Amino acid sequence: MSEEDAGPGEWPVVVRVPVEPVEAAMEADAADAAVRHSALAVRGPLFGVASHSKGGGRRWRVVVEVTHGCPQQARDALNSQLWFQAKDEAKQPAERRALLAAVARLETEYVDELTVLGTRYRVVRAEEYAAIDAHGGIETPRPTDPEPLTPDWSPGAGARSPRVDDGLVLDPDAPLSPLQAAERVALRPLAYSGTTFPAPVLTDSARAVESHPDVLLMPAAFLIVERTDNGPWSPGSGLQATAHDARRTLDFALTWMEPRTRGLIPHDVDRTVDARSPAAGTTDAAAAELKEFAEAADRLRAGRCDEVEAHGTVYRIARSRRLLRWGPDGPEGPRPSDISTYAPAALHPRLDEDGTVHFDEPAGDESAP
């Protein structure tokens, strides 16, 4: 049976039994997690860009991380990537013209797919979800999730951290462990249901199961979630590549951002002032509140701590999972019911075919020679 003829549930999955010790430990870890967290909570779609080159078979490569909240954010990221490629990497005017023609389209059209210099680019859509336990608790990082040997909490360490989806190859034919294969097959029928979704969203979701019957599971990512008074969990950060990156983001939020948001530290003071090092003249009441934030942040640094509480809010490091629907022509793109919150626009100054940037002209000005 060809891939074009395959129906839902008929796409083959290659299963490889883990024999290497690390792989075996990860599989055992996944089995334990499946017992503890037996239900899923779907958050909604995320968007990025993947590319496909001739001779790549069914493999696509992520070139814009699949973390964006609407399709236009992914298009804008591709716009910038192609503009800088034209500025910094193009060798010939013809190559630069082709890249700039693609940029011009992205500045004015809702483009979900285009081919530039033999490479095919597609805005792709992933479903973000998390595993939850019987009490509604969101799964935290697993013992075998990647962690740095020596955690780096220093300022600027985030700039040296791996980016989400950096260099990720999407290969639906790659061998999977038994539990990965089981999860992939089990999630093939996943579709929205219930009265909380608008009819077009439900229709598009059901149609996607038919048009893109397979799914590909992406690597886990991590984020901060928070809740107050036993209410629902809500996201408190974007996705991070490692649990430590999420912890470091929370450390900064507790010691720097939250104190300023709450007026405990003025916005115009030195950047080095935080909950651990209050400014001179801080009132006793403010110092007590800052101390609670600092103590919560210190607990994060004491070990692989994934949950702290401060001022009535519980902060947790959550393990996020994503899946891409996959069809005969590759990964799913945006659905008609997916909404972009703003329109395409020019993002950079005009760049001519010789590689000269015209900073004195409005971005996207096509009237200049």
Side-chain angles (χ1 to χ4, degrees):
M1 177 182 294
S2 69
E3 293 166 358
E4 289 75 9
D5 296 330
E10 297 172 335
W11 288 55
V13 176
V14 180
V15 180
R16 179 171 59 84
V17 177
V19 292
E20 195 268 339
V22 173
E23 291 181 326
M26 293 175 67
E27 185 75 351
D29 203 5
D32 291 341
V35 173
R36 292 193 305 269
H37 301 84
S38 56
L40 300 179
V42 177
R43 180 182 174 191
L46 293 172
F47 303 88
V49 178
S51 70
H52 183 270
S53 300
K54 185 177 181 180
R58 293 216 297 161
R59 293 184 298 275
W60 291 64
R61 183 171 62 89
V62 174
V63 295
V64 171
E65 61 274 15
V66 189
T67 61
H68 297 280
C70 78
Q72 190 56 44
Q73 291 175 327
R75 297 184 196 110
D76 283 354
L78 178 61
N79 179 333
S80 287
Q81 186 175 119
L82 296 177
W83 190 90
F84 280 104
Q85 185 177 342
K87 174 179 173 291
D88 300 329
E89 301 177 23
K91 305 300 183 185
Q92 301 293 334
E95 182 180 350
R96 192 171 289 112
R97 280 196 298 271
L99 291 163
L100 293 176
V103 169
R105 288 192 61 195
L106 288 163
E107 291 176 341
T108 57
E109 303 175 32
Y110 293 93
V111 181
D112 289 330
E113 184 161 330
L114 73 168
T115 299
V116 188
L117 299 174
T119 298
R120 185 180 179 189
Y121 297 92
R122 176 180 296 175
V123 177
V124 297
R125 180 191 198 277
E127 205 72 67
E128 185 185 10
Y129 63 102
I132 57 175
D133 61 23
H135 306 289
I138 298 177
E139 183 182 14
T140 55
R142 299 174 183 174
T144 49
D145 285 328
E147 297 272 6
L149 292 176
T150 303
D152 188 351
W153 300 94
S154 62
R160 301 188 293 272
S161 298
R163 297 183 61 181
V164 176
D165 300 334
D166 187 25
L168 178 62
V169 174
L170 306 172
D171 184 0
D173 301 318
L176 303 175
S177 74
L179 281 172
Q180 289 173 333
E183 182 177 358
R184 176 169 164 181
V185 172
L187 290 176
R188 282 174 173 174
L190 179 67
Y192 296 157
S193 62
T195 58
T196 58
F197 295 99
V201 173
L202 295 174
T203 299
D204 285 350
S205 184
R207 185 184 296 120
V209 176
E210 300 297 325
S211 62
H212 295 77
D214 199 10
V215 299
L216 185 145
L217 306 181
M218 302 183 69
F222 305 88
L223 75 157
I224 304 163
V225 295
E226 55 190 59
R227 69 176 180 181
T228 305
D229 298 327
N230 290 320
W233 291 99
S234 60
S237 75
L239 294 184
Q240 305 286 337
T242 71
H244 177 68
D245 290 319
R247 293 188 199 104
R248 186 173 52 238
T249 300
L250 179 55
D251 179 271
F252 175 79
L254 292 172
T255 59
W256 200 95
M257 186 61 69
E258 279 292 326
R260 284 165 170 77
T261 300
R262 295 180 180 227
L264 302 173
I265 296 176
H267 284 278
D268 58 353
V269 301
D270 190 278
R271 289 183 58 86
T272 60
V273 174
D274 62 12
R276 292 189 177 96
S277 304
T282 301
T283 66
D284 290 344
E289 293 191 54
L290 291 172
K291 181 180 179 182
E292 185 168 343
F293 278 125
E295 289 176 345
D298 288 344
R299 289 194 293 275
L300 285 173
R301 296 193 177 198
R304 291 188 180 183
C305 177
D306 293 320
E307 183 172 303
V308 296
E309 182 174 355
H311 295 296
T313 298
V314 177
Y315 302 89
R316 175 177 290 188
I317 306 303
R319 190 178 198 271
S320 171
R321 294 145 82 173
R322 295 165 295 160
L323 66 84
L324 284 162
R325 297 212 70 91
W326 204 277
D329 193 38
E332 181 187 16
R335 299 172 184 174
S337 56
D338 290 327
I339 298 173
S340 286
T341 54
Y342 59 95
L347 305 177
H348 301 283
R350 188 174 74 87
L351 176 68
D352 65 30
E353 65 178 33
D354 295 318
T356 302
V357 181
H358 296 265
F359 292 103
D360 56 337
E361 298 175 13
D365 184 357
E366 299 297 331
S367 61

